[in-house]
Amino acid sequence: MRKEVRVFAPASLANLGVGYDILGLALDSPGDEVIVREGSKPGLTISLIKGDGGRLPYDIHTNTAGYAALQFLKNHGWEDLPIEMEIHKKMGMGTGLGSSAASAVAGVFGVNAYLDFPVDKAQLLSYAVEGEQKADGAYHADNVAPSLFGGITLIRSNETLDITHLPVPKGLCLAMIHPQIEILTSESRAILSPDVPLEAFIHQTGNIASFVAGLYTDNFELLKASLHDLVIEPQRAHLIPFFPVLKAMALESGALGFSISGAGPSMFAMCEDIAVAESIAEKAKDYYWRKGYESNCFTSYINMEGAKLITE
Ligand code: HSE
């Protein structure tokens, strides 16, 4: 057991425009931090939550970080160990940047680190997904898996958490655009039709398969041709102010593709050149400012490390 650990779990971009609930990637920043140390009484407790504006519960049965860690401890018979956790939220909630997933990952990764890594990352995945499920009610790993492992992950089955780590072409980067409005993931999921027209299904499976092929072959042209969402984006775009204008701007500026990050309201422009991504982020910020919206626009390469120990 270590004395005290501080861990970081990064934000993530789910769906990647083409693979609803089955594709995700990790961003360099922002991300959440969790500190774990010995508690003063048996069992897991949350002693402090900062950066959430007082919105997150201290109850480990409802807090995403606490619940993920609790499931892990319980499954190993360690639930009576005196452990205390501090959660430092470094990102807003309802942003589409995988905030609850980052907390769940940091929670379970932090407790594992405190116990001196009795299990490896792969064995933490299901607990983190259960933790995130506390936030949006659905069991899907497209934010949690990249936040935990880093890189780009493909999920063949969310039920069995059968995941594949996809290759990341050199230079692939993102402009992230976050207008300061909040969209609840549960609501953004609730508006989706349960049915997909056959034509859209055919095109979309072609896009997903070709996107993955493009990653394996460093084929930016194929990535660009594939980055289209015919199923989810058309149903959610109206939730995001000026989505069509920003999309057109990003594509004209040289993005490979542009779509909604996770459940929104954040959006991403995938690029092969960081200078293009920077110019898109600047233009988006400026556009929103002129329309009276605050926004947080930034660029990121793909974080290849995922959750990590930052101090001990
Ligand atoms: N795949 C999820 C969605 C990500 O789009 O609803 C957000 O949790």
Side-chain angles (χ1 to χ4, degrees), residues 13-16 19-23 96-101 132 136 138 140-144 158 184-186 188-190 192 232 236 260-264:
L13 189 184
N15 304 339
L16 308 190
Y20 177 69
D21 275 0
I22 63 163
L23 280 174
L97 295 170
S99 177
S100 48
E132 200 213 350
D136 75 9
H140 54 93
D142 52 340
N143 285 113
V144 163
N158 276 299
L184 285 179
T185 300
S186 50
S188 188
R189 294 177 79 80
L192 299 176
I232 307 298
R236 283 178 165 171
I260 302 168
S261 175

Side-chain angles (χ1 to χ4, degrees), residues 240-276:
I240 303 170
F242 306 107
F243 179 88
V245 181
L246 290 155
K247 180 168 181 165
M249 178 276 287
L251 296 177
E252 274 163 26
S253 303
L256 297 169
F258 183 95
S259 192
I260 302 168
S261 175
S266 292
M267 296 152 273
F268 72 92
M270 189 171 277
C271 304
E272 61 176 302
D273 179 345
I274 197 76
V276 171

Side-chain angles (χ1 to χ4, degrees), residues 46-121:
I46 298 172
S47 59
L48 180 71
I49 307 177
K50 276 177 95 173
D52 67 325
R55 294 172 60 190
L56 292 177
Y58 276 73
D59 180 353
I60 54 167
H61 299 95
T62 49
N63 180 288
T64 55
Y67 191 78
L70 178 66
Q71 296 316 304
F72 164 61
L73 290 167
K74 264 189 174 167
N75 204 37
H76 290 84
W78 299 328
E79 66 270 33
D80 291 331
L81 289 174
I83 299 178
E84 178 180 294
M85 178 186 275
E86 282 182 18
I87 300 165
H88 295 254
K89 291 293 302 173
K90 305 275 178 163
M91 51 196 293
M93 291 168 278
T95 57
L97 295 170
S99 177
S100 48
S103 290
V105 168
V108 71
F109 182 80
V111 167
N112 190 45
Y114 170 69
L115 297 173
D116 215 8
F117 297 102
V119 307
D120 62 20
K121 277 188 175 179

